Amino acid sequence: MTPQRWVYLRKLLSGFPSFPPSFSSCRPRVFSSSQSAADNMAEEAKKLAAYSAVDNNVQNNHVVGVGSGSTVVYAVDRLAERVRQEKLNIVCVPTSFQARQLILKHGLMLSDLERHPELDVAIDGADEVDSELTLIKGGGGCLTQEKIVAGCSKFFVVIADYRKDSDALGQQWKKGVPIEVIPMAYVPVSRTIAKHFGGEVSLRMAVSKAGPVVTDNSNFILDWKFEHTHNWKEVNTAIKMIPGVVETGLFVNMAQQAYFGMEDGSVKVRKAPVN
């Protein structure tokens, strides 16, 4: 080590703010205040949507389906707050391990579809919502349980921030449609989807483990990056008919209402079109 570098290291360890050109790669990353402000705004928007949905759709003696993801955290916070303040009798059915842990953390009553096969309302997030309330879900890998719980509910409510609001799927969400598959079938399913519907299909790889993401059901996740808008009802049905497919992240004609927290602090409510 040269004398100059030794002097620099001693200054660095003592908190002396000196960064010579040769050590430019050691400079700490500085995140822009605008990025931080945007993140804070999005989190506040999630909270607004979640609180509004819980306040307007959950009543005493309700059985509530609890979705998964970052926005649902705020919904469970508000649900627990109302249970304490209003002495509500609420039963919660989770869509994932994460949702189950949130319910237990807040001391809410935990149940399942065996004991409560019919739910009064389900509240869940989405990766993207189009103008007709068709959803892309499954960015967190819980699409199958989420669709089952939503399908068992009398009223399915979506909560999201303004970044998830689109006129058409693919406008905002660029990671594609998640598809849960049996592990041995991921290659043939990928090839079949690409052949019939175009686009690119990839196996979702894990971040903190070697190999692919494994769902709560011990399956794999494919992400289909489609090239153009489709008839989503037909595509959803066709993909589900491919041997090895467990479920898709396309939620068609399932959501009755969506709550979007907006940048200006308001909440926009969109209802499903009447067919």
Side-chain angles (χ1 to χ4, degrees), residues 70-213:
S70 59
T71 310
V72 170
V73 173
Y74 295 111
V76 179
D77 285 345
R78 180 55 179 160
L79 189 58
E81 191 175 70
R82 287 192 60 198
V83 167
R84 288 193 302 270
Q85 293 175 351
E86 303 172 37
K87 310 301 181 187
L88 300 181
N89 177 37
I90 299 295
V91 175
C92 298
V93 175
T95 58
S96 65
F97 179 84
Q98 178 220 15
R100 183 178 185 277
Q101 296 306 109
L102 281 173
I103 293 166
L104 293 174
K105 173 186 174 183
H106 286 280
L108 296 168
M109 190 179 299
L110 177 68
S111 189
D112 52 44
L113 292 176
E114 291 181 80
R115 287 173 286 183
H116 293 89
E118 186 175 80
L119 315 179
D120 294 291
V121 62
I123 300 176
D124 205 347
D127 299 310
E128 190 170 34
V129 185
D130 76 4
S131 58
E132 296 185 346
L133 292 197
T134 300
L135 319 174
I136 292 178
K137 289 177 53 55
C142 306
L143 55 145
T144 299
Q145 300 98 303
E146 289 172 343
K147 191 174 280 191
I148 291 169
V149 169
C152 291
S153 66
K154 298 175 185 176
F155 199 74
F156 178 34
V157 179
V158 177
I159 51 177
D161 64 77
Y162 51 89
R163 300 172 302 176
K164 310 299 177 66
D165 184 11
S166 296
D167 291 325
L169 297 184
Q171 202 172 62
Q172 305 280 3
W173 180 253
K174 304 299 182 182
K175 297 181 180 181
V177 176
I179 300 163
E180 185 165 348
V181 298
I182 300 296
M184 68 173 291
Y186 85 90
V187 170
V189 170
S190 299
R191 288 166 58 88
T192 302
I193 292 172
K195 177 182 177 181
H196 290 286
F197 304 108
E200 178 185 337
V201 185
S202 59
L203 179 65
R204 188 183 298 181
M205 303 305 289
V207 175
S208 298
K209 68 173 278 290
V213 167

Side-chain angles (χ1 to χ4, degrees), residues 25 31 40 55 108 112 115 145 270 275:
S25 62
F31 294 95
N40 290 338
D55 288 348
L108 296 168
D112 52 44
R115 287 173 286 183
Q145 300 98 303
R270 181 183 301 159
N275 295 324

